[in-house]
Amino acid sequence: MMLKALLMIVLVLAMTPAHSELQIEVTQGADDAVKIAVVPFDWRGRGALPEEIHEIVTADLRLSGRFETLPVSQMLSLPSEASEVYVRDWQLLDMEYVVIGSVREYGPDLAMTFELFDVFKGEVTLRQTVVGSDLDLRDLAHHASDAIYEQLTGIEGAFSTEILYITVTETPSGRVFRLNVADADGYRVRTVLQSREPILSGTWAPDGDRIAYVSFERDSRPAIYIHNIRDRTRQQVTDFRGLNGAPAFSPDGKKLAMVLSKDGNPEIYILSLEETPRRLRRVTRHYGIDTEPSWSADGESIIFTSNRGGQPQIYSMRLDDLEVERLTFEGDYNARAVLANNGQGLIMVHRRKGIFHISYLDLKRGFLRVLTETALDESPSIAPNDSSLIYATQVGGRGILAGVSIDGGVRFNLPATEGDVREPAWSPRKKKSFTPLEEDLKLTSEIE
Amino acid sequence: MSMIKTYLGLLAPVLLLVLAGCASSSPEPEPQVEAPVVTEAVQEVVVEIEPIKPMVSGGRVIIPLDELDASAGSRTLAGVFYFDFDQAIVRRDGHAELDQHAMVLAGNSGLTVRLEGHADERGTREYNLALGERRANAVQSYLLSQGASRSQIEVVSYGEEKPAMSGHDQASWEKNRRVEIVYR
């Protein structure tokens, strides 16, 4: 039975560039935003660069909500290395930091150097040179954003990550569902699957290369697929009668938790992916609805939604002895919880007074913080650095993505140019990593 | 299109109409006049109609109002049953109509249906998939209890992915919490 379902299918579906891109707009910035100026990078190679590094870095920093950026038109000088920085120019503009840099030809590739200049101290506190191809320019820019963000906030940046999401467009011949992957800033959208039947519950494997999702493409029945978005292959992993849903990779990527109703009732199962034949273990046994499993960071327990108490609430379960504990008590509908990467808390869909919010539950101290104020918020996904989360909401009758920092201080929207956007999932890893070329040039914050 | 076959069976029983003479009770018998016995053969045409079966069209079942009389017309059974928020209980107002569906299925083993469960957009997608399945299962149980066979019924849940109404208000939500009975 399973063997048939495990057939490897090479996807004929090309990753077509999608026509819609997400446009990020900050709706609420941090109160104590850091003032920073990103100067246009110097380029002395042939022709023009296809991307402007400073524009990408400026957008990244501004959209994090923690920075206030300076438009180039207001800059008094445009230095490209530390020796050219005239401190008074930036003091006059009330800037705290200046980012300067250059791009040079480096064999067939490009070398990007960037420096973070502390205006108050009058010195460079971070300097790196990284190399990539001309196709990597956006990745190089996001790398710079990550490094600057980490230097100034102490938190690893998440600008080099990706977002998986689903769009639904109404066409004269019916609904079209698309599963898209885009950079975290909404650029470079690719459609990995398109169908007239529902696609949902997209989720990442910890390797950042594979995703799992539910698609109704076969005979209008649900099945779970694992899809490698880099080499564009996929396999159908389930083909059971009834529900085949809510896939979630274990932290080591070797198991997939899911919901099946093949035994008559929605229960949570764990499929071992690396054993032959694959083994399926049922871990819940209750006549209520058990769904939406999510793993703890150590892979030894899961949390899930169950209405065994009458209403949907969040429960946790240890996988060794299957001991269940209820985690949520506030609100009459708590569902689709995911644990923060540090295990300290969880984010979930939480209803109070008939309104669905995204809320954060601090598991250590037991308090619950409502993070979003709109009415139909769902599908929260947390950034790999735990700094913020992205979720789906409705604005003007249309589904859009929105984000909020975990402290609730920064808010942004990512409206798409067309269709409904839903179910964002933040990738667990950077799309591309770069090692600084000359380690000795990297100044660290030891100076502070 | 129509699967109704009408056979004209010509069974022609001969009816004998015998007119018997009248008897008089008078003591004085009147002279009996022998009435002529008239024997007439009447050929009666009996038309035998095969019962009109329920018919599937556009995923709905059309059942004849009178199985023996095509001219009596037909009616299409309602194919959508609605539910309360976060509930999977078949409402009482749907029972009569579901009884009809069960009767049709019980009487026509060749018919199969797909019960498509749906939820409104409130709440999470996977929970709503589970809820949609519960609703479809509730309708299945009802049909089974009324004589339909398990082999005739397939259940699938679309959760909130295929709303009937695209609005984001109570009126739309009410129409979206449903099970659709689709004949195949």
Side-chain angles (χ1 to χ4, degrees), chain A residues 172-185:
Chain A
S173 53
R175 289 187 187 103
V176 177
F177 294 80
R178 287 191 185 89
L179 182 65
N180 290 345
V181 178
D183 286 3
D185 63 358

Side-chain angles (χ1 to χ4, degrees), chain A residues 34 59 64 85 111 140 150 158 188 224 318 353 369 385 393:
Chain A
V34 173
S64 76
V85 175
L140 289 168
E150 184 168 358
R188 295 195 288 194
I224 297 173
R318 284 210 311 260
K353 292 174 187 154
R369 183 193 292 140
N385 62 6
T393 187

